[in-house]
Amino acid sequence: MFIRKTNTNKPKIRTTIFIPGEYKGLKNISEMNFKSDITIIGAGVVGLAIAAQVAGRYKTIYVLERNEKFGQETSSRHSGVVHSGIYYPYGSLKARLCVEGNRLLYELCRNHGIGYRELGKLIVATNDEEIVQLEELQQRGQGNGVEGLKMISKQELKKLEPNVEGVAALLSPSTGIIDAHALMGFFAARAKEGGAEIAFGKNVVGIEKLPDGYKITVEENDRDKFSFDTRVLINCAGLQCDKIAELAGINIARAGYKLHYCKGEYFTVGNGKSKLVKRLIYPVPEVKGTGLGVHVALDLEGRMRLGPNTEYVDKIDYAVDSRHKDSFYNSTKRILPFIEYEDLEPEMAGIRPKLQGPGEEVRDFVIRDEADKGLPGLIDLIGIESPGLTASPAIAKYVAGLIRNIM
Ligand SMILES: Cc1cc2nc3c(=O)[nH]c(=O)nc-3n(C[C@H](O)[C@H](O)[C@H](O)COP(=O)(O)OP(=O)(O)OC[C@H]3O[C@@H](n4cnc5c(N)ncnc54)[C@H](O)[C@@H]3O)c2cc1C
């Protein structure tokens, strides 16, 4: 439990002292020599998954979230797809953690009543060149351990999806959709059951290295500040993860941690068209592309939307530019001829925390203990873009392994 003391001598910037329940009454954090075991910055799907994974194994675990609820940022602005792991380079963390996360997520959904549907997905080729790319994708996916991938002919495609046009397709049966909010609710509940505390409205504004851990300074309600110590600090701050790494003393330019924000917008498909496909339908991705291509996403209520596109931006702004409707329409009409211009309405947008800048090579997730930068016990998670939702339970297991090596 958080109990705070307020120094009333300074009415404008009040200093609040963080005192865990059992130390109630002591004035100063250093007097009580209190140190939490683990502090996680960020209650998105990744921070919550880690809290759920380690709760019960360590005495004091805090999750600090600047918003008033969990999952208010990227973790609620995505396609909600449980990816299978086809696209990512062999041996990369993205590939390994996506394939493992896919299996773990379905297990969690089945065992704990989290909404999901294993719909399957088709990546559709529109010419011979794209068929070659699909074959390469199939090989890559198989190398990554994705099961059930199958090339299908034009005729088989027509049988499965009569309203989709293409010359061939790659079928990925283990791709699906999930109720991400319910998943986060599950992780939060499991973390709390294990004794972890999730504290909202807590913005981390300072990190100071101590001989055996870190001093964290937190701002509440944009005014009050308090500090406490932690042995292990886990940076799951999503779009702010590079800034948190910088606060901890990392030169983010040298480390290659500077994020590039890459916006992805969605348009809903109305006029009763959503029943015209049964699976998730994707185009063949561009080589060295920044996304998977504008695709058909379906949600658990059966609503259809198109997205996300990719646009590098300087700031976080979730408005959808209605002028992009033309490019959405043009990019999908080849494989989805039933979609008409007037069916599309702007819906929402998310922002990818990308390490890959415009025109650059694809980058992997960074998930590491920063001991070699002189910061042991700081675990950074940088660039957790897609497939971060899918990979979340596998990321949590991976991070639990890093913590075991520290404590
Ligand atoms: C357009 C789009 C589509 C996607 N589609 C998919 C998909 O279909 N399937 C899939 O697997 N993945 C998908 N992803 C990726 C997935 O959404 C993310 O990888 C995942 O949500 C990242 O979760 P997170 O917890 O790391 O980050 P976030 O959800 O961003 O959480 C980070 C949290 O940290 C908090 N925070 C930041 N700074 C501070 C601070 N100083 N103090 C306290 N708290 C702080 C924030 O408030 C936030 O709540 C998509 C992403 C985008 C943008």
Side-chain angles (χ1 to χ4, degrees):
M1 232 267 283
F2 281 136
I3 296 171
R4 279 164 274 106
K5 275 210 145 190
T6 300
N7 179 348
T8 44
N9 296 334
K10 293 178 186 167
K12 284 209 176 116
I13 307 171
R14 289 187 299 153
T15 310
T16 316
I17 302 166
F18 168 84
I19 303 176
E22 66 252 50
Y23 295 105
K24 187 174 174 184
L26 292 178
K27 279 190 191 134
N28 188 308
I29 197 106
S30 57
E31 264 178 45
M32 61 196 185
N33 201 19
F34 172 76
K35 185 170 271 186
S36 79
D37 290 325
I38 298 172
T39 299
I40 298 169
I41 305 174
V45 71
V46 174
L48 292 172
I50 295 169
Q53 182 71 31
V54 297
R57 296 191 199 172
Y58 302 93
K59 217 165 132 207
T60 45
I61 300 169
Y62 295 110
V63 182
L64 303 176
E65 169 54 53
R66 63 181 177 175
N67 292 317
E68 293 302 329
K69 292 179 190 158
F70 62 70
Q72 296 294 290
E73 304 203 355
T74 310
S75 293
S76 44
R77 296 177 167 277
H78 50 68
S79 305
V81 171
V82 181
H83 288 296
S84 60
I86 304 170
Y87 300 96
Y88 318 107
Y90 175 73
S92 64
L93 280 178
K94 282 183 179 172
R96 282 166 49 199
L97 299 175
C98 182
V99 172
E100 187 187 352
N102 174 291
R103 185 179 49 76
L104 292 172
L105 270 194
Y106 286 132
E107 242 171 61
L108 286 178
C109 289
R110 280 191 287 268
N111 294 340
H112 300 282
I114 300 161
Y116 78 105
R117 280 178 68 203
E118 207 168 337
L119 296 172
K121 140 173 168 176
L122 287 162
I123 311 175
V124 179
T126 55
N127 56 45
D128 290 352
E129 221 173 273
E130 287 188 344
I131 295 181
V132 177
Q133 282 175 260
L134 279 190
E135 286 164 350
E136 285 167 8
L137 272 183
Q138 182 184 20
Q139 274 178 15
R140 187 189 296 183
Q142 284 166 341
N144 288 344
V146 180
E147 287 174 9
L149 291 177
K150 188 180 166 209
M151 284 294 289
I152 61 168
S153 65
K154 184 179 172 135
Q155 292 72 25
E156 288 168 304
L157 172 63
K158 269 283 158 228
K159 246 198 219 159
L160 292 180
E161 294 288 354
N163 298 305
V164 175
E165 283 301 324
V167 295
L170 178 61
L171 174 66
S172 166
S174 65
T175 305
I177 52 175
I178 187 168
D179 180 344
H181 196 78
L183 176 70
M184 287 190 278
F186 166 77
F187 285 145
R190 180 166 267 192
K192 283 192 217 158
E193 274 161 32
E197 176 120 17
I198 305 171
F200 296 105
K202 308 284 182 288
N203 188 20
V204 174
V205 293
I207 299 169
E208 190 190 319
K209 170 92 185 69
L210 301 172
D212 187 24
Y214 296 87
K215 185 184 196 72
I216 312 295
T217 301
V218 178
E219 193 175 74
E220 276 186 307
N221 312 323
D222 296 329
R223 303 180 292 172
D224 304 346
K225 281 192 184 162
F226 65 87
S227 299
F228 69 102
D229 299 352
T230 187
R231 170 84 179 82
V232 170
L233 177 62
I234 307 178
N235 170 10
C236 298
L239 292 165
Q240 309 300 322
C241 65
D242 55 347
K243 299 192 179 64
I244 292 291
E246 199 165 40
L247 268 188
I250 291 180
N251 179 330
I252 57 169
R254 200 180 317 142
Y257 288 0
K258 179 96 192 70
L259 287 185
H260 302 271
Y261 291 161
C262 184
K263 189 167 175 176
E265 298 167 314
Y266 293 86
F267 279 70
T268 50
V269 181
N271 299 329
K273 303 275 171 82
S274 54
K275 300 274 175 298
L276 295 179
V277 298
K278 296 190 231 35
R279 294 168 185 77
L280 304 163
I281 310 292
Y282 283 61
V284 176
E286 288 168 30
V287 184
K288 266 180 90 173
T290 44
L292 304 180
V294 169
H295 53 260
V296 169
L298 299 167
D299 65 19
L300 288 166
E301 282 76 44
R303 285 182 298 244
M304 185 192 284
R305 55 191 174 141
L306 299 181
N309 59 353
T310 53
E311 184 187 13
Y312 281 98
V313 293
D314 295 330
K315 58 179 173 53
I316 296 171
D317 171 4
Y318 294 118
V320 177
D321 187 340
S322 56
R323 290 169 303 181
H324 292 159
K325 183 167 165 172
D326 287 12
S327 68
F328 270 75
Y329 174 67
N330 290 328
S331 66
T332 46
K333 73 176 177 197
R334 271 187 318 163
I335 53 178
L336 304 163
F338 63 86
I339 293 181
E340 286 161 279
Y341 188 77
E342 47 281 6
D343 297 337
L344 301 182
E345 289 295 335
E347 194 208 25
M348 63 106 176
I351 296 182
R352 303 169 182 88
K354 266 192 175 303
L355 286 171
Q356 176 192 11
E360 292 175 4
E361 290 295 324
V362 170
R363 292 273 307 271
D364 200 4
F365 292 156
V366 171
I367 305 177
R368 68 193 307 276
D369 175 10
E370 302 288 13
D372 60 356
K373 295 190 182 70
L375 297 166
L378 168 65
I379 299 177
D380 268 327
L381 288 91
I382 314 282
I384 311 299
E385 53 169 329
S386 192
L389 169 66
T390 309
S392 56
I395 292 176
K397 287 180 83 177
Y398 187 82
V399 170
L402 297 179
I403 298 171
R404 271 198 301 278
N405 292 338
I406 299 167
M407 295 180 78

